[in-house]
Every structure is written in C-alpha cells, then in structure tokens.
Amino acid sequence: MASYPVDPRQPDAAYLTFWRERHLCTLTTPRPDGSPHVVPVGVTYDPDAGLARVITNKSSAKVGHVLPAGADGARVAVCQVDGRRWATLEGRATVSVDPARIAEAERRYAERYGRVPSPNPSRVVIEIELTSAMGRG
C-alpha cells in the first residue's frame, strides 16, 4: 500500500487504482488574499503525463483563482478520501481553452466517472502539472 510520500509520475499500483475508482474529490485554489478556496470536483490523474485534470466552466471561481498566476501556474492541491484511504496530488495549475485538451479531459472524466459530461461551450480544463503526491492507496 502506498503511503506518504508518493512519486506522482510512478505511483504504486494501489495508489493508481485508488485514483481510477469513482470518488468525489476536492480542489484547493488560492484566493486573491491567499486563503484557501476548497470545492468539490471530479479529477482525473495521468501519471504518464504528470497531470491531474479538472473540467469546469470558464466563469467558475476556481478558474478565476488560477488565471492570475499566468503561465507559471497557481499552486493547488486535489484530494480524495475513502475511509482510511486518502490521496493528495499537488502542483501548478493552468487553464486551457484548447479544444483537444478539453476533449482529452472529458474523455478521461467519462472513463473514471462512468458518464459523458454534458455539452458545455463554456468548458475549460484546469491542468495541474504535478510536483508531489502523498497518501495511502
């Protein structure tokens, strides 16, 4: 079983399996005053690319918290918990409006959560370039 810390690009099988199960997650982004903004989201984890992805509406508060960081990205964390199992991924988030990136995020979301997201012309993807991970898968 994986335990703190975890290499985000080379997680063990239990940790990766936990991230492939259907779980509601949280995304923590920094507000302008530095305080944490925590919201429920669906997250997909792609260790090969070193990314976690969150699909959302371009007018959401989470997007508004990430955009000011620009190309350097905002420091964020995504987390999920199920009993004694828990997992956190941390990294730098940026927002993409690229249709191919959004489609890939939607595909991965459908795979993990078992449903195709409703069409949304205002959809963007928050991509988190992973820098660290921890947990017990």
Side-chain angles (χ1 to χ4, degrees):
M1 178 183 303
S3 63
Y4 173 92
V6 174
D7 181 340
R9 287 187 168 266
Q10 295 182 339
D12 70 20
Y15 193 83
L16 186 56
T17 296
F18 185 42
W19 274 106
R20 288 187 173 150
E21 295 170 1
R22 187 180 194 279
H23 293 285
L24 185 62
C25 304
T26 60
L27 169 67
T28 304
T29 57
R31 290 186 179 105
D33 68 2
S35 65
H37 177 256
V38 184
V39 294
V41 293
V43 176
T44 62
Y45 173 34
D46 181 357
D48 293 333
L51 292 174
R53 296 176 179 92
V54 176
I55 56 174
T56 189
N57 194 301
K58 67 182 175 185
S59 64
S60 70
K62 54 190 156 288
V63 168
H65 297 151
V66 171
L67 283 176
D72 290 339
R75 293 189 59 164
V76 304
V78 289
C79 184
Q80 65 182 23
V81 64
D82 181 34
R84 298 180 67 113
R85 298 184 305 158
W86 63 276
T88 300
L89 300 169
E90 298 177 353
R92 297 259 177 200
T94 56
V95 177
S96 178
V97 297
D98 179 279
R101 290 181 174 284
I102 294 169
E104 178 64 8
E106 290 171 334
R107 183 191 70 75
R108 289 176 178 275
Y109 180 95
E111 184 178 276
R112 181 174 190 199
Y113 290 98
R115 67 175 191 82
V116 175
S118 301
N120 180 352
S122 296
R123 180 166 290 133
V124 297
V125 59
I126 296 174
E127 293 182 321
I128 305 163
E129 186 176 338
L130 301 173
T131 57
S132 62
M134 58 185 145
R136 295 186 66 82

